[in-house]
Amino acid sequence: MSSLGAEDWLVDDDRLLAGSAAAVGGKAWQLARLRRFGLPVPEFLVIPAACSRLRRDGVPAELLAALDAAIERRGWQGQALAVRSSAVGEDGSKASFAGIYHSCLNVLGCEQLAAAIAAVWASLDTPTAAAYRQKLGLPDAPAMAVIVMPMIAAQASGIAFTCDPLNGRFDRLVVHAQWGLGESLVAGQAAGDEYVFVENAASEWYLLERRAGSKQTMSVALAAGGTASQAVPPERAAGFVFEAEQAERLANLLYDAAIALDFVAPFYDLEWAWDGQRFWLTQARPVTARPYRSYDALRGQPVIWTRGNTCEVMPEPLSPCDWAFSRWGVNSLLEQGWKLCGYPLLPGVQRAGLFHGRLYLEASILQWEAWDAIGLLPGQLNALMGGHQPEIAVPSPSWRQRLMRLGRMLRYLVLAPGQRRRGMAAVARVHATASQMRQTPLPNDDTGLARLLRQQALAAGAEVEMHFLQGSGGGTLSLLVPMLEKAFPGEGEALLAALMAGGEPSVTAQQGYALLALARLAKSPECYGQPEKSPKFQKAFAEFLEKYGHRGHYETYYRSPRLREQPELLLAQIAALADVDEAALRQRQQAARDQAWAKLATRLPLWRRLLLRQMIKAANQECNQREAARSAIVASLDAARRTILAAAQLGVEQGALRQVEDCFLGMPSEAFRVLAGDLPPAGMLARVLEREVIFKAWEKEEAPEYLLVDAVGSPQAPARPAVRETVEGTVWRGVATGTGVARGRVRVLRHPADGQALLPGEILVAPSTDPGWTPLFLQAAGLIVETGGYMSHGAIVAREFALPAVVNLPGIMAMLRDGDEVEVDGRCGEVRRCSP
């Protein structure tokens, strides 16, 4: 290697990312990424790992010469340097090597530099390092890169974890701070202050609590080089290193570093320093032994992640912007019902996960909470959620647990009406606020847009009564299905669907009926076949957009355009609905209800039928309120989308984004930092470019319906619908969510925007359904959906329209082709391919 040039002995941080982590070690690689992403990391040089192969012969003179020249070019002469280890495999997701390898601070002059490099290389060969590598099964011939950077004259320094390292809580950020250099804290020689932070709905971290450490000694730099321990004056030792505002500034910087490195799992162990003016980051490594936060009763059982419900509303990959909303919002939606009934939820549990870029729910936790709180069996919850995920094992309840469950249910019944009233008031309030925001000009400056974004995020997070409506809409349904199933085995789901046909329409059904009214108006003689020129139609169309324009195809994504942004799609839907017979639809609903009640009268006494009527009325109200809450949540997303797009335009002008649509590849907290000037535009652009590659890869992946994660993280193969062959043809069994039987030709559609291909009387086959599909329900003779459960959007609307429907048939779209003749039996949940 002695013939190599200076560029082979050294790699600067600008060139480092063109290579690989194996060449420079995990620590240097992560620091280079942080610098690229706009984080405050000192400039540094790296001696590649391959050079450490020469450590037996000392530090090569050529390397020292190259270092001397590089130091001179950068103006580092006379400055104290830090020489840090960056071994191959160090600071990775599986091995941290924390405290194993050596680093040297306050290195002065060439002789000390050479000695420091030799000491770092020599730490590869210590018995402790060898034992650690052997424990992890790592190579016996390790290599060590070395980082050389100007040392920060730290007045304070410390370590931080962007999760709670003791219990794995994702909603905590922990910082330890000490006076002076960080080595006394890292080495355990001193106990620093501990600060614990919690996140709000605007992705801001604020101080929850702090505890003062003893801080009796601190590490300081010596004039001749090296460091020494020094006593801390009593008044400094007794006080805190940082007050709340400064500590929160540090916490938000640390979280920004974590999401820059990995926005999906931003759980990092970081080292930092404060020079009296600004904070610096000096190390970042993934938390390698993060405990999994779950209930004790689930220990030893696989973790179940399912898309049974979420693939309906978010079937495609989530952008970082969408994930930021989901990872926080899912917990709020799913917790409110249990909080109302007084169930002691385990704090800091994460019920949302991102795998293959898709949103999953932690089904094992959801099943346990439903079972432990009110005795809802895991299988019953699965039916409500949808999906073919397995069930957790649950113990038989004691008499005391049964009494506690009864008490919770009574508490829920007493408190739920008031919570629902407050929830519906919140729905009206959110719609009114969103409407007002649409009519108010947006700020055109960074500060104003940041303030508005923060205000919108905090307001959305505060509407917990509305979240209750969305997350607790299946309580009565969960009781009705087993009641009907007990009296009519195998028919409970279909009977309930028929009993709920028609009734008071949900906001989504109202949207469908409003479209039918527009279609009739467009076809009327007064429009002369040109509705777009009719003042009456234009007025009615504008009123429709004012009420429903915030909705759209797959509307839960921030990136999805809204109906008011795509009026041409709406006009195409109206034209396709011109021949739908609303009177026949109403008759179908009435007939389904009448037949179902007549059947109930054959086996159930009058008093049970009267009770059922009250429960069905309550179930209908709960479903309608769930849809109303969803509409309001989407209205708040629509308002935020408008602000985000305006902020993105400023980002394009500043060079932080290439185009406005890039904003969805950023996180809300990053938007705040860019607008505040805390994140350089080039750093934001680097993040966008990296995430774009990740997102495109996700789009090509197939995400399984569910994952089982055991001790080694092994996933389970996706489920397929139950299928059998009969004389009449192939039969698939799913979940009956509509009513009646329909026979017709198949039309397979992958997106509601392709709805013009659906002909009246055809059977619609879809991957998932959300309100963007609703107009197609009015045209179709029957519905087959790959995903969903009894509480899914498609199930609710299919019941309202008395549409024969079967859901929860994963893979069915690949098994059916346009033109296939099928029969959809909404009574027993079967789809039959008919023989030609």
Side-chain angles (χ1 to χ4, degrees):
M1 291 186 64
S2 60
S3 62
L4 298 180
E7 69 277 5
D8 301 303
W9 288 110
L10 295 175
V11 180
D12 63 29
D13 59 309
D14 291 329
R15 290 197 301 128
L16 189 152
L17 293 174
S20 70
V24 295
K27 187 179 297 181
W29 182 263
Q30 298 286 42
L31 287 177
R33 292 185 68 215
L34 287 174
R35 272 181 60 85
R36 183 184 178 214
F37 295 145
L39 278 303
V41 173
E43 185 183 5
F44 61 92
L45 296 166
V46 179
I47 303 169
C51 297
S52 65
R53 309 294 187 198
L54 304 177
R55 63 185 181 275
R56 304 299 182 194
D57 300 321
V59 181
E62 296 95 331
L63 170 57
L64 293 175
L67 266 174
D68 187 59
I71 288 171
E72 184 176 355
R73 284 196 302 273
R74 286 162 176 75
W76 295 355
Q77 307 98 313
Q79 291 189 44
L81 301 176
V83 178
R84 303 169 64 86
S85 68
S86 184
V88 175
E90 184 180 4
D91 287 357
S93 59
K94 302 297 183 182
S96 69
F97 285 90
I100 301 292
Y101 294 135
H102 191 62
S103 291
C104 301
L105 300 181
N106 196 33
V107 176
L108 301 175
C110 293
E111 289 186 8
Q112 290 188 14
L113 180 58
I117 295 169
V120 171
W121 281 347
S123 64
L124 277 172
D125 305 318
T126 64
T128 303
Y132 188 83
R133 290 193 297 269
Q134 184 178 18
K135 177 183 176 182
L136 297 177
L138 297 175
D140 293 329
M144 171 74 75
V146 180
I147 299 169
V148 180
M149 63 168 59
M151 193 183 79
I152 299 163
Q155 294 188 17
S157 50
I159 57 177
F161 301 90
T162 53
C163 63
D164 192 316
L166 298 180
N167 56 34
R169 290 186 64 164
F170 79 100
D171 61 342
R172 293 290 184 268
L173 190 153
V174 182
V175 171
H176 297 271
Q178 161 70 334
W179 297 116
L181 302 175
E183 60 183 2
S184 62
L185 191 60
V186 174
Q189 298 169 351
D193 299 337
E194 181 180 70
Y195 301 77
V196 180
F197 303 85
V198 65
E199 186 184 21
N200 64 20
S203 296
E204 299 168 323
W205 293 84
Y206 60 91
L207 187 62
L208 178 67
E209 58 182 343
R210 62 179 180 174
R211 291 179 284 273
S214 59
K215 304 189 295 294
Q216 296 298 314
T217 62
M218 64 178 181
S219 180
V220 297
L222 298 175
T227 62
S229 181
Q230 176 180 295
V232 177
E235 62 277 10
R236 293 191 83 194
F240 285 100
V241 174
F242 297 126
E243 294 304 320
E245 182 179 353
Q246 196 171 15
E248 289 170 355
R249 194 161 70 247
L250 171 60
N252 284 283
L253 170 66
L254 294 165
Y255 181 70
D256 188 53
I259 61 172
L261 294 172
D262 186 350
F263 71 90
V264 176
F267 309 123
Y268 277 81
D269 169 0
L270 301 116
E271 294 182 14
W272 56 271
W274 179 58
D275 66 4
Q277 299 295 323
R278 64 182 300 192
F279 290 106
W280 296 91
L281 302 179
T282 57
Q283 183 169 307
R285 56 175 169 240
V287 174
T288 54
R290 178 177 172 241
Y292 188 75
R293 183 76 167 168
S294 188
Y295 291 90
D296 289 339
L298 296 174
R299 303 297 178 194
Q301 298 195 51
V303 176
I304 307 168
W305 291 99
T306 179
R307 297 181 66 218
N309 177 274
T310 60
C311 59
E312 182 192 42
V313 295
M314 287 184 151
E316 298 302 319
L318 274 67
S319 69
C321 186
D322 292 317
W323 170 235
F325 161 71
S326 298
R327 72 175 182 83
W328 197 91
V330 162
N331 289 305
S332 183
L333 293 178
L334 296 176
E335 287 177 351
Q336 302 311 319
W338 304 135
K339 288 180 177 178
L340 189 70
C341 74
Y343 177 69
L345 292 166
L346 180 66
V349 165
Q350 178 56 283
R351 300 169 183 83
L354 198 65
F355 303 94
H356 304 280
R358 273 72 169 189
L359 180 63
Y360 284 73
L361 298 182
E362 219 281 34
S364 49
I365 285 177
L366 300 186
Q367 290 176 14
W368 174 256
E369 289 173 340
W371 163 253
D372 197 36
I374 61 172
L376 185 67
L377 290 168
Q380 293 172 335
L381 182 67
N382 280 350
L384 290 173
M385 288 196 303
H388 295 78
Q389 62 275 356
E391 302 170 17
I392 61 170
V394 295
S396 298
S398 65
W399 65 267
R400 184 173 181 274
Q401 289 170 323
R402 292 179 189 272
L403 285 176
M404 292 177 66
R405 289 171 178 173
L406 179 61
R408 292 187 192 108
M409 293 178 71
L410 291 174
R411 175 186 169 94
Y412 183 92
L413 290 173
V414 171
L415 298 179
Q419 188 80 331
R420 291 190 176 281
R421 286 193 298 271
R422 290 187 290 274
M424 290 305 294
V427 166
R429 182 169 60 247
V430 169
H431 275 296
T433 301
S435 177
Q436 180 182 8
M437 285 184 173
R438 286 198 304 271
Q439 299 167 21
T440 303
L442 290 169
N444 57 6
D445 63 292
D446 292 353
T447 303
L449 285 170
R451 186 185 304 114
L452 181 57
L453 276 173
R454 183 177 186 275
Q455 171 191 333
Q456 290 172 328
L458 293 176
E463 299 291 2
V464 294
E465 292 90 354
M466 188 173 73
H467 298 170
F468 168 79
L469 298 182
Q470 173 69 11
S472 305
T476 306
L477 277 179
S478 68
L479 300 176
L480 279 167
V481 172
M483 286 176 61
L484 290 170
E485 189 69 23
K486 185 176 181 180
F488 297 89
E491 301 180 66
E493 294 168 346
L495 272 173
L496 182 56
L499 292 170
M500 295 184 68
E504 186 67 29
S506 68
V507 65
T508 309
Q510 291 174 27
Q511 179 182 333
Y513 292 133
L515 278 174
L516 286 178
L518 282 174
R520 287 195 300 272
L521 178 59
K523 194 179 179 181
S524 65
E526 59 189 295
C527 287
Y528 302 103
Q530 295 180 304
E532 65 277 3
K533 295 184 179 180
S534 165
K536 186 174 182 180
F537 180 86
Q538 290 174 358
K539 181 175 181 295
F541 190 73
E543 290 173 349
F544 180 92
L545 286 179
E546 176 59 30
K547 190 169 185 178
Y548 302 110
H550 62 285
R551 313 210 70 168
H553 298 159
Y554 294 116
E555 60 196 13
T556 316
Y557 295 103
Y558 274 114
R559 67 178 186 268
S560 293
R562 311 292 146 165
L563 289 178
R564 69 169 57 86
E565 299 174 55
Q566 298 178 313
E568 67 283 356
L569 293 181
L570 198 54
L571 291 170
Q573 289 180 345
I574 291 169
L577 294 173
D579 297 323
V580 173
D581 188 341
E582 185 175 345
L585 169 63
R586 302 285 189 181
Q587 291 172 4
R588 187 173 74 201
Q589 294 168 334
Q590 186 64 51
R593 290 197 303 272
D594 291 346
Q595 291 171 13
W597 282 115
K599 188 163 189 173
L600 291 180
T602 64
R603 296 189 190 178
L604 298 183
L606 177 61
W607 71 269
R608 288 194 66 183
R609 297 200 303 274
L610 292 175
L611 175 63
L612 274 174
R613 284 189 184 275
Q614 293 303 311
M615 292 183 70
I616 288 166
K617 182 178 178 181
N620 181 258
Q621 181 187 55
E622 289 174 5
C623 289
N624 288 357
Q625 290 176 344
R626 187 171 192 260
E627 290 292 294
R630 177 193 172 110
S631 176
I633 290 171
V634 171
S636 68
L637 293 178
D638 176 43
R641 170 182 161 85
R642 178 171 174 255
T643 312
I644 289 169
L645 291 174
Q649 186 57 55
L650 287 182
V652 172
E653 294 170 7
Q654 295 168 358
L657 307 172
R658 299 163 304 174
Q659 55 194 3
V660 168
E661 290 74 17
D662 283 346
C663 65
F664 303 117
L665 292 170
M667 303 280 275
S669 58
E670 292 171 327
F672 293 137
R673 295 184 72 80
V674 170
L675 291 170
D678 294 331
L679 174 55
M684 185 68 241
L685 183 59
R687 303 181 194 197
V688 164
L689 294 173
E690 181 172 292
R691 291 170 187 172
E692 182 180 52
V693 174
I694 295 171
F695 189 82
K696 288 181 176 178
W698 282 344
E699 289 182 311
K700 298 176 182 177
E701 293 181 19
E702 285 191 22
E705 181 189 341
Y706 65 88
L707 297 166
L708 294 185
V709 183
D710 56 20
V712 295
S714 301
Q716 173 79 22
R720 291 301 180 195
V723 59
R724 70 178 189 273
E725 300 296 333
T726 67
V727 175
E728 295 82 10
T730 306
V731 177
W732 295 272
R733 177 66 191 245
V735 176
T737 55
T739 183
V741 181
R743 182 166 177 162
R745 293 186 181 278
V746 160
R747 179 66 62 181
V748 179
L749 299 180
R750 297 198 170 274
H751 195 279
D754 302 325
Q756 67 276 6
L758 180 68
L759 301 178
E762 289 186 326
I763 305 297
L764 172 61
V765 182
S768 59
T769 57
D770 80 337
W773 291 88
T774 299
L776 304 184
F777 289 13
L778 297 167
Q779 298 171 250
L783 176 66
I784 302 170
V785 189
E786 281 198 324
T787 61
Y790 216 71
M791 276 304 298
S792 66
H793 167 79
I796 291 173
V797 180
R799 285 194 292 267
E800 290 189 90
F801 290 159
L803 182 68
V806 178
V807 305
N808 212 349
L809 293 169
I812 194 69
M813 293 188 68
M815 302 176 195
L816 294 175
R817 297 286 184 271
D818 285 347
D820 285 351
E821 188 85 11
V822 299
E823 182 180 84
V824 180
D825 193 333
R827 301 166 304 183
C828 62
E830 290 187 346
V831 174
R832 178 178 289 102
R833 179 155 49 198
C834 305
S835 299

